[in-house]
Amino acid sequence: MKRILKLHVNGEDFEILTEIHKTLLEVLREDLGLTGTKRGCDLGTCGACTVLIDGKPHLSCLTLTADVQGKKITTIEGLAQDGQLHPLQKAFAEKGAIQCGFCTPGMILTAKALLDEDPHPSEEKVKKAISGNLCRCTGYVKIVDAILSVTDKSSES
Amino acid sequence: MNKFNVVGKREPMLDALDKATGRARFTDDLSLPGMLYGKILRSPLPHAKILYVDLSGAEKATGVKAAISGKDIPKKKYGIVPMAKDEYALAIDKVRYIGDEVAAVVATSLDAAEEAISKIHVDYEELPAVFDPLEAMKPGAPIIHDEVPNNVSATIRKEFGDVEKAFAQSDFIFEDTFETQAVNHCPLEPQAALAMVDHSGKVTLWSSTQIPFFLRRNLATTLDIPESMVRIIKPKVGGGFGQKIDLYAKDFCAAFFAMKTKRPVKFVYEREEVFTSTRQRHPMHIQLKTGMKKDGTILAQQFKVVADGGAYNSTAPLMITLACFFIMLPYRIENLLFEGFHVYTNKPVGGAMRGHGIPQVRFAVEAQLDTIAEKMGIDPLDLRLKNAFQAGEPHPAKLLVQSCGFSDTLIKAAEEIGWKEKRGKLPFGRGVGLAGASFPSGVSNMSHISSGAVVKIERDGAITLLTGAADIGQGAETVISQIVAEELGVSLKEIRITAADTEITPLDPGTFGSGVTLRAGNAARIAAQVAKEKLFEAVAEKMEVEARDLEAKDHRIFVKANPEKGMSLEEAIKVYQYSDRPMPIIGRGSYQPPAKEPTTLLKEDGNFSPAYSFMTQAAEVEVDTRTGKVKVLKMVTAHDCGRAINPMLVEGQLEGSVVGGMGQALYEEVITEKGQVLNPSFLDYGIPTAMEVPPITSVEVETNDPEGPFGAKESGEGTQLSPAPAIINAIYDAIGVSFNSLPVTPERVLEALQKKDKR
Amino acid sequence: MRLPRFEYIEPRTLKEAANALAADSKGSVLLAGGTDLLVSMKQRVIQPKRVINLKTIPRLAYISNGKEGLRIGALTTLHDLSLSRTIREQYPALTEAAKEVGAYAHQVMGTIGGNLCQGNRCRFYNQSAFWRGVRRLCFKAGGEICHVVRKPKECHSTYCGDLAPVLMALDSRIKILGPHGERALPLKRLFTRDGKRPLSLKKGEVLKEILIPEPSGKTLYLKWRLRGSLEFPVVSLALHIEKGTNGAIEGARIIFSGVGPGPVEALEAEKMMVNGLLDEEMIEKVSDQAVREISPMRTSIHSPAFKRKIAGILLRQALEQMMKS
Ligand SMILES: Cc1cc2nc3c(=O)[nH]c(=O)nc-3n(C[C@H](O)[C@H](O)[C@H](O)COP(=O)(O)OP(=O)(O)OC[C@H]3O[C@@H](n4cnc5c(N)ncnc54)[C@H](O)[C@@H]3O)c2cc1C
């Protein structure tokens, strides 16, 4: 069954004709060409497909596209504002929190949602928040550091 | 003090921002107009004859463009080790494990391809299957490959020194049996391939591979076309850890269907397929006998190792050989007898994984050393220090160890974990442990392991580096660029790199055996030197000095003894150009690790690797004696990686590797029942989450290796050899139970504690 | 893994949803957060003709304090539960349970209704179509046999939800809306303890609301799993105790997840506690009794014996914690 869906992604409006049984992950990657959102397990267990919907982390592989019409969808491509990288993006790059980079988009978006909710989380809270975003390269150490470094900065300002 | 400008700096990876913004393209992110989507039908039986494959149902389904089974493909076997080729891209005649590839389809959509797969009908004649390697070795066991009637597809028997005599002279002899589990690499990116064919029939394949040039060879073999008709491009790769060394059905099928349909074709694996049908760390059954002198000298060791290879060889002979040779480092083992067997079973296939055959035997050795120490009343640290190998010592297997910081790693790791204050002194349930290891920096005793590089200096000063090295997330491109930048005296951001495209970049063996930095780094350094010398020649002529007196640094070329006297890089290029020398300035470098011929590793010993790295991991744990849960409180990793070209990336390698090792010690096991993987998902297969990670301290032990570029050696792979035994030894210290098999789950801890109470 | 094709319905009211469901109750499913349902659909253990999305219905997500206690709308997300101050202050065990479900995104997406109504789990069932194809179709998936006990026409799948034990310990009631109107019942009666059809919802019925009575006594929730996140409980326990002024126990509830075809209440153990004092002796007796009342099966990679052991340990820990406080 096909339907016309209206989506609001990264500040842009899209109107697409697509199969109703396609997940948001599939529509982002296949219909909108937003391949920054990754498919790691397709069953909601790895977090690589995390996107923000109205600012909150969602597993796009378990989200029906029709279900997010009218909501604000943010993917990794939409995180930088007016050409300015988000501090998390910078921190991840500079602190060595990125190795293969496959978990990175989901990881950064999850971290952003956390910091928007709680700008000064404890290390434990950071770990818990990203615990559904699996990473096999880094051992998470530098990822946690990168996220905490951003909270430090915001406390200074 | 770092006398270098770029080498030794904590530079972010060159592609980090692309990855942080979603711009980085992995194989599955690519698509081409008219692209078809493929799916593979896999065997539901562990062992069976294929009687008939009826593709007609699939062929008739909407959207389907083609379907094939084993009988449609060239009857060409492939494998990573030439002498051990035993696999067809799709099963022909017979399936050998649940998940073996039987047929494949391509369709205009993934939905259609998935639906079509279920319409293929296969008639099998089920054969008796065998799942335990010890059973498989017995006479009368089901034969999995006709060519290997005893199911033992690779063996090694090596004796160094005189083992019988040494045991006779030993004051104590210890004998134990160990078992290790199947571990999946779990790269976050599932395997993918995209193929396209041009009018001449040339195949271009984008693949999540860590070994493009080997893939080119294997793909050409399976397609039965010349290697020159295959081009492999490696986009970004989402982790490999050894699992992306092999050719897989997805590579073959993408290419084969692209040839057949004249349309681009993409295959991407499901996570379940990654678990069941790619590769895993070999489970091993290890019998270990060690002879000790009273003073704590290890006099002799004898091993019988049976590796459960699953249905195919993959790297079998190499894996079992590595296991053998790396028993003899980091300790001095003068007398060794090693018997190793790689055995076929009807199970998922073993392959190279971070440490490649060594973590299993290292676990056995390191766990046994602690029980030996206990029984002999020697401190486990002292026991290790006493037997630690030193640089320059003659080695019984003729390994040439030119730099060795092992003792240093032991001492520093022990200090950092608080060994003196804690070992044997913590309350019941808490303990510390450590374990050592050594790893090669690339393998030299094999053919085809040269790396090449090209460095171009353009008119405007732009520097282009072409390297075949395959960056799979470890940062190879960054590190090699740093080497080139240092050599040319420019900053890192001035290097533009193109890598891992078999048509454009020079030959490279790929990412395996931890040789990339050393091998490809040396090649790139040579290329940069050659380009630089060309430039120096022109500048020297103009400045009327000797070329050898010049130096390149800070974007300038100047006289070493008189740095004022010189010019900017741009000026130098101008000078070069106006002296009627041909542009662009090109330097080429090829590097082959020094090796001894002939190079059949299995038959000849000799120096195995151009350099060896050494490490010690230490752990502090807390065992909840009620629930059996083990919590790692702290990990220390002391690693002699020569000079760290990029300390931040080295740390990242160590941390990731340590956490992987923790997983292996406590959480991870691919569980099979009659050949079926019971836990092919991240819910049931316990890869560590951020919650499991303790503070990790990396202690640098820098040595300067004469063979490595700027003294660099391996890092990150060897690190995975000893976290598991370090944790197991810490558990021993905590509760007095020494575990002989992995992983140590809460269930097993409770059982062991109960048994202990009864005694 | 693609989702199977289906018809998609967005009802405007709960009544509409109930009617749509009743029209073809075998072929239709309700969608809330989708974190359980869509996994099962991808794995083809459920292949509905129609998906009825509850999230488009307004005013089903709320947490409101009323006379009889707290009312929680079925579509309230676990994340909102965990952030609610009222809940944290009055029912901290519920906050705790909500925070332990899956990980961050699962809590953001997952709803309380979906959590209660989530499918039973089994290592032979929650697998891909290919995986299940290696064996004969199991009873729950529409076949004849149960691979856990190797008997026909039985299903021993396990209920693994985190919230049900706590909500039952808090003596919650639920409101259900069907084509023929509303009914309310104690939450524990939602669960049939039949692995094949674990919920007592009738044709066209939708869970609308959860009612938690005024806080009283003390409630604890303990969850055990191998890793510190992501996983369903291997075993979990909710313990509720009400003490009289003299310190004697007036009422107790002991409810486990992960050890039976529904949440399992250890009724005999509960009875043992009434009128007694919480001391070492009682803790020993009660936890020994409780593990006799559960019947874990080999439905996951953890052995039943181990689950039993952990259940006992959890209860002991919880009782000790209660004793100390
Ligand atoms: C990786 C992973 C980890 C998880 N870990 C846990 C865990 O630790 N603990 C845990 O409890 N769960 C866990 N879950 C399961 C799931 O995420 C949660 O149970 C979640 O709360 C389900 O809610 P939902 O809204 O997403 O349900 P849905 O998937 O939308 O629905 C689940 C079921 O309930 C039915 N349903 C939903 N709402 C209603 C209603 N109002 N009336 C009647 N029927 C309804 C649906 O038809 C469906 O059958 C996990 C899932 C994943 C993928």
Side-chain angles (χ1 to χ4, degrees):
Chain A
M1 186 164 95
K2 280 196 177 185
R3 262 227 210 151
I4 292 178
L5 300 179
K6 288 187 182 149
L7 298 176
H8 188 75
V9 185
N10 300 334
E12 262 183 84
D13 288 317
F14 295 89
E15 208 174 272
I16 53 162
L17 178 67
T18 194
E19 300 274 1
I20 206 77
H21 70 283
K22 276 179 107 169
T23 61
L24 179 59
L25 173 65
E26 289 155 2
V27 165
L28 288 173
R29 291 178 56 83
E30 295 162 16
D31 298 21
L32 302 184
L34 294 169
T35 55
T37 308
K38 302 300 179 205
R39 172 187 164 281
C41 75
D42 229 5
L43 294 174
T45 55
C46 78
C49 70
T50 307
V51 300
L52 301 182
I53 294 173
D54 292 337
K56 296 260 183 300
H58 282 65
L59 300 164
S60 61
C61 78
L62 297 184
T63 302
L64 288 187
T65 313
D67 197 22
V68 291
Q69 293 191 87
K71 303 210 168 128
K72 206 177 133 209
I73 303 164
T74 309
T75 70
I76 192 69
E77 289 93 342
L79 195 54
Q81 291 291 320
D82 311 321
Q84 284 291 308
L85 290 177
H86 189 277
L88 278 165
Q89 290 174 306
K90 264 199 232 156
F92 267 62
E94 282 163 13
K95 302 256 171 205
I98 300 172
Q99 287 188 30
C100 85
F102 204 78
C103 72
T104 306
M107 196 70 88
I108 288 180
L109 290 171
T110 303
K112 174 176 185 329
L114 169 71
L115 297 187
D116 287 348
E117 237 175 57
D118 177 359
H120 301 289
S122 64
E123 182 174 332
E124 249 346 87
K125 194 161 176 192
V126 169
K127 282 184 171 178
K128 180 107 201 204
I130 60 163
S131 63
N133 295 79
L134 300 177
C135 167
R136 192 60 151 174
C137 296
T138 65
Y140 307 100
V141 178
K142 298 208 178 328
I143 292 176
V144 174
D145 283 355
I147 297 171
L148 287 172
S149 79
V150 170
T151 68
D152 290 344
K153 257 177 228 151
S154 50
S155 67
E156 280 159 27
S157 64
Chain B
M1 255 292 288
N2 186 359
K3 57 180 191 275
F4 302 111
N5 283 344
V6 190
V7 160
K9 286 263 159 65
R10 301 176 70 85
E11 295 278 359
M13 273 189 206
L14 295 175
D15 54 7
L17 284 178
D18 277 346
K19 289 171 176 172
T21 53
R23 271 197 294 261
R25 297 274 180 267
F26 296 78
T27 303
D28 188 24
D29 300 340
L30 307 172
S31 43
L32 292 168
M35 185 170 82
L36 300 175
Y37 301 83
K39 274 280 156 193
I40 294 170
L41 178 72
R42 299 183 177 279
S43 166
L45 298 171
H47 199 190
K49 265 197 204 139
I50 301 172
L51 299 179
Y52 181 66
V53 182
D54 179 6
L55 299 170
S56 61
E59 281 164 340
K60 275 184 266 170
T62 19
V64 171
K65 293 293 166 192
I68 57 168
S69 69
K71 69 175 185 348
D72 302 312
I73 69 169
K75 214 168 171 172
K76 293 280 183 178
K77 285 184 180 171
Y78 73 93
I80 264 299
V81 181
M83 59 189 270
K85 292 184 178 183
D86 63 350
E87 202 167 354
Y88 294 114
L90 293 179
I92 301 179
D93 306 333
K94 209 171 139 171
V95 289
R96 297 179 171 87
Y97 74 102
I98 295 173
D100 213 347
E101 292 87 5
V102 177
V105 301
V106 287
T108 49
S109 75
L110 210 44
D111 288 305
E114 275 189 15
E115 277 158 34
I117 278 295
S118 63
K119 299 193 170 117
I120 298 175
H121 184 79
V122 188
D123 282 336
Y124 295 102
E125 178 191 323
E126 203 166 346
L127 298 169
V130 60
F131 306 112
D132 177 350
L134 299 178
E135 290 298 316
M137 290 171 85
K138 288 184 185 157
I143 296 166
I144 297 172
H145 292 261
D146 290 342
E147 317 80 77
V148 185
N150 62 353
N151 290 323
V152 178
S153 66
T155 52
I156 184 170
R157 188 181 190 282
K158 286 263 172 202
E159 182 167 358
F160 299 100
D162 186 338
V163 173
E164 211 182 283
K165 201 169 118 202
F167 275 122
Q169 289 170 352
S170 297
D171 297 316
F172 304 101
I173 291 177
F174 299 89
E175 285 191 73
D176 295 286
T177 303
F178 297 88
E179 282 192 51
T180 64
Q181 80 277 41
V183 176
N184 193 276
H185 311 59
C186 299
L188 259 286
E189 177 207 25
Q191 278 77 351
L194 166 64
M196 182 187 82
V197 174
D198 72 10
H199 61 94
S200 72
K202 197 180 82 186
V203 177
T204 301
L205 184 84
W206 291 263
S207 175
S208 55
T209 177
Q210 56 187 93
I211 188 162
F213 288 86
F214 270 85
L215 180 58
R216 177 176 67 177
R217 184 188 307 171
N218 270 314
L219 188 60
T221 304
T222 52
L223 292 170
D224 204 16
I225 59 175
E227 236 180 87
S228 59
M229 295 299 276
V230 175
R231 173 183 182 184
I232 308 286
I233 303 174
K234 179 206 70 71
K236 299 289 176 212
V237 172
F241 316 109
Q243 203 180 52
K244 292 173 180 170
I245 281 177
D246 294 76
L247 173 141
Y248 290 115
K250 50 102 188 167
D251 297 302
F252 171 83
C253 288
F256 189 81
F257 278 116
M259 289 166 68
K260 198 174 155 86
T261 62
K262 310 272 183 289
R263 290 173 71 166
V265 174
K266 182 151 86 178
F267 276 76
V268 185
Y269 280 2
E270 299 289 348
R271 178 55 54 185
E272 180 177 356
E273 291 177 291
V274 180
F275 273 107
T276 60
S277 307
T278 63
R279 298 290 183 251
Q280 61 184 20
R281 174 167 284 156
H282 301 83
M284 280 189 194
H285 181 88
I286 302 159
Q287 282 167 272
L288 167 56
K289 180 173 161 188
T290 300
M292 301 289 299
K293 277 215 295 219
K294 269 197 196 101
D295 68 353
T297 308
I298 305 172
L299 214 50
Q301 285 195 310
Q302 183 175 336
F303 285 83
K304 189 175 169 203
V305 172
V306 175
D308 183 350
Y312 297 98
N313 265 333
S314 183
T315 58
L318 179 58
M319 181 277 302
I320 201 80
T321 304
L322 282 166
C324 167
F325 278 83
F326 280 83
I327 287 305
M328 287 192 292
L329 281 178
Y331 306 109
R332 203 175 296 111
I333 315 285
E334 302 280 358
N335 304 289
L336 176 93
L337 174 60
F338 187 99
E339 289 176 284
F341 305 88
H342 176 275
V343 184
Y344 287 135
T345 55
N346 296 109
K347 290 209 302 235
V349 184
M353 179 181 175
R354 225 169 182 173
H356 204 179
I358 310 174
Q360 300 95 318
V361 286
R362 182 91 346 255
F363 157 64
V365 171
E366 297 294 326
Q368 195 195 41
L369 274 182
D370 269 38
T371 56
I372 290 176
E374 168 92 11
K375 286 175 192 154
M376 291 181 60
I378 304 175
D379 180 286
L381 172 64
D382 294 339
L383 182 64
R384 286 178 171 81
L385 279 169
K386 176 157 185 77
N387 292 284
F389 197 82
Q390 304 298 332
E393 269 187 72
H395 189 275
K398 304 198 197 86
L399 304 185
L400 190 63
V401 179
Q402 306 193 63
S403 66
C404 172
F406 182 52
S407 296
D408 238 19
T409 66
L410 276 169
I411 292 165
K412 288 191 173 153
E415 205 175 276
E416 186 62 38
I417 203 77
W419 185 260
K420 272 213 195 83
E421 312 83 75
K422 290 180 178 166
R423 171 76 196 192
K425 294 173 189 144
L426 293 170
F428 187 75
R430 253 173 104 149
V432 293
L434 51 74
S438 171
F439 202 73
S441 309
V443 179
S444 35
N445 268 10
M446 277 174 77
S447 53
H448 323 293
I449 40 126
S450 303
S451 281
V454 174
V455 168
K456 293 190 285 179
I457 306 176
E458 309 277 356
R459 244 168 48 124
D460 59 352
I463 293 155
T464 306
L465 162 66
L466 304 182
T467 169
D471 196 330
I472 56 172
Q474 81 277 40
E477 291 185 15
T478 306
V479 166
I480 297 166
S481 298
Q482 278 181 274
I483 288 170
V484 169
E486 186 66 49
E487 197 58 51
L488 294 178
V490 299
S491 67
L492 180 59
K493 60 176 185 299
E494 287 168 278
I495 311 290
R496 304 175 308 180
I497 180 167
T498 294
D501 176 336
T502 61
E503 200 104 321
I504 294 173
T505 62
L507 181 73
D508 189 275
T511 296
F512 78 94
S514 288
V516 179
T517 299
L518 190 140
R519 214 167 34 221
N522 267 333
R525 188 177 186 189
I526 294 166
Q529 276 164 350
V530 171
K532 186 169 77 174
E533 274 156 23
K534 288 185 181 172
L535 199 55
F536 277 9
E537 216 177 81
V539 172
E541 206 175 272
K542 168 94 178 178
M543 286 173 60
E544 297 179 346
V545 296
E546 293 293 325
R548 64 169 182 276
D549 293 332
L550 292 175
E551 187 169 350
K553 210 171 185 164
D554 299 330
H555 214 84
R556 284 180 75 243
I557 289 170
F558 54 85
V559 178
K560 253 183 264 181
N562 182 10
E564 315 282 78
K565 198 170 162 193
M567 61 183 79
S568 73
L569 181 64
E570 283 79 7
E571 264 176 275
I573 294 168
K574 226 180 255 166
V575 167
Y576 175 94
Q577 247 184 307
Y578 285 105
S579 66
D580 280 345
R581 286 174 162 88
M583 284 300 284
I585 307 167
I586 293 187
R588 286 182 303 178
S590 296
Y591 174 81
Q592 175 162 32
K596 178 168 156 273
E597 299 290 336
T599 54
T600 46
L601 188 72
L602 279 174
K603 300 191 182 80
E604 288 277 317
D605 35 278
N607 190 31
F608 192 81
S609 169
Y612 301 85
S613 61
F614 294 88
M615 43 268 172
T616 298
Q617 323 289 344
E620 180 169 354
V621 303
E622 185 174 55
V623 181
D624 182 336
T625 51
R626 271 181 136 178
T627 64
K629 204 183 251 188
V630 177
K631 189 176 157 82
V632 179
L633 301 175
K634 179 177 178 168
M635 289 295 301
V636 175
T637 167
H639 193 109
D640 157 25
C641 63
R643 181 187 311 284
I645 304 284
N646 187 327
M648 184 165 83
L649 302 194
V650 169
E651 274 165 29
Q653 281 299 303
L654 303 186
E655 289 157 359
S657 206
V658 164
V659 173
M662 273 177 56
Q664 194 173 334
L666 301 174
Y667 311 109
E668 297 181 34
E669 178 173 17
V670 179
I671 306 169
T672 51
E673 194 177 281
K674 294 203 172 124
Q676 183 173 30
V677 177
L678 293 183
N679 53 345
S681 76
F682 291 138
L683 256 181
D684 293 328
Y685 180 88
I687 113 168
T689 75
M691 296 299 282
E692 275 62 59
V693 177
I696 302 174
T697 310
S698 344
V699 186
E700 244 180 78
V701 177
E702 271 206 356
T703 55
N704 191 351
D705 191 86
E707 190 59 36
F710 298 98
K713 298 194 283 192
E714 175 275 342
S715 87
E717 178 164 11
T719 315
Q720 199 150 98
L721 304 178
S722 49
I727 291 167
I728 271 40
N729 289 341
I731 296 173
Y732 184 38
D733 186 37
I735 60 171
V737 179
S738 175
F739 284 92
N740 284 13
S741 67
L742 298 176
V744 178
T745 57
E747 192 160 355
R748 299 196 36 231
V749 172
L750 283 191
E751 272 166 25
L753 282 172
Q754 245 164 18
K755 252 192 230 150
K756 198 175 161 225
D757 279 350
K758 283 201 187 116
R759 262 195 256 122
Chain C
M1 237 176 261
R2 309 294 271 203
L3 284 166
R5 290 165 202 280
F6 51 80
E7 231 180 277
Y8 176 71
I9 298 172
E10 295 188 336
R12 309 299 327 158
T13 64
L14 208 52
K15 185 90 193 152
E16 243 182 72
N19 286 337
L21 187 59
D24 176 10
S25 65
K26 285 242 161 63
S28 309
V29 289
L30 299 173
L31 170 73
T35 56
D36 182 49
L37 180 71
L38 296 191
V39 176
S40 297
M41 283 173 61
K42 283 188 172 183
Q43 296 185 322
R44 304 293 191 272
V45 290
I46 308 177
Q47 287 205 62
K49 282 206 287 289
R50 301 202 295 176
V51 172
I52 303 164
N53 188 357
L54 295 177
K55 274 180 296 182
T56 47
I57 304 171
R59 291 183 297 279
L60 281 182
Y62 53 84
I63 301 170
S64 72
N65 243 329
K67 273 200 287 300
E68 332 91 292
L70 196 70
R71 295 166 50 229
I72 304 175
L75 269 279
T76 309
T77 67
L78 304 177
H79 190 61
D80 285 342
L81 288 186
S82 71
L83 292 181
S84 155
R85 235 178 97 182
T86 318
I87 295 181
R88 196 167 354 112
E89 281 164 6
Q90 300 183 12
Y91 312 96
L94 183 56
T95 309
E96 209 44 53
K99 278 162 82 176
E100 294 300 314
V101 173
Y104 194 0
H106 305 99
Q107 292 162 24
V108 165
M109 298 171 74
T111 63
I112 186 169
N115 193 279
L116 291 174
C117 299
Q118 68 179 274
N120 276 16
R121 303 184 65 78
C122 177
R123 67 193 173 112
F124 297 104
Y125 178 72
N126 299 95
Q127 300 280 5
S128 71
F130 166 73
W131 195 100
R132 286 177 289 119
V134 170
R135 297 162 192 260
R136 283 166 61 196
L137 200 58
C138 85
F139 181 54
K140 188 167 171 70
E144 292 292 313
I145 181 122
C146 172
H147 297 296
V148 178
V149 295
R150 290 177 207 282
K151 277 195 190 148
K153 303 214 189 278
E154 273 185 30
C155 173
H156 291 273
S157 61
T158 302
Y159 184 78
C160 298
D162 269 307
L163 263 49
V166 183
L167 289 169
M168 279 167 63
L170 294 169
D171 204 19
S172 307
R173 294 173 67 77
I174 52 173
K175 239 189 230 166
I176 291 170
L177 186 110
H180 310 296
E182 239 177 62
R183 63 180 177 122
L185 66 159
L187 171 60
K188 68 167 135 182
R189 289 203 3 236
L190 176 64
F191 304 104
T192 61
R193 302 189 48 100
D194 168 1
K196 178 134 171 145
R197 295 201 65 250
L199 299 181
S200 64
L201 293 177
K202 294 189 197 125
K203 196 173 164 179
E205 282 189 332
V206 186
L207 174 60
K208 182 184 168 192
E209 185 180 272
I210 293 93
L211 282 147
I212 315 179
E214 288 281 319
S216 69
K218 212 167 157 27
T219 314
L220 277 178
Y221 184 65
L222 299 181
K223 171 173 181 172
W224 201 93
R225 55 184 161 188
L226 191 54
R227 289 171 290 174
S229 181
L230 202 61
E231 295 171 11
F232 285 87
V234 173
V235 184
S236 72
L237 159 79
L239 171 68
H240 177 86
I241 290 183
E242 313 235 356
K243 284 187 192 165
T245 39
N246 58 356
I249 295 168
E250 289 183 340
R253 273 187 292 274
I254 300 170
I255 297 142
F256 293 100
S257 196
V259 294
V264 180
E265 183 162 9
L267 290 165
E268 294 304 315
E270 288 172 0
K271 276 189 211 145
M272 276 178 154
M273 295 180 70
V274 178
N275 295 329
L277 280 173
L278 196 53
D279 56 16
E280 289 292 350
E281 195 190 338
M282 174 182 280
I283 290 175
E284 205 52 41
K285 237 174 43 190
V286 168
S287 35
D288 283 353
Q289 171 57 33
V291 295
R292 268 182 240 136
E293 295 179 55
I294 60 175
S295 49
M297 304 294 282
R298 209 167 202 349
T299 53
S300 74
I301 54 176
H302 305 277
S303 78
F306 180 66
K307 282 191 164 197
R308 206 180 276 277
K309 227 180 262 176
I310 292 294
I313 291 163
L314 286 184
L315 182 53
R316 210 159 290 153
Q317 273 178 358
L319 289 168
E320 278 170 13
Q321 226 168 300
M322 286 276 191
M323 188 171 71
K324 278 181 206 136
S325 67

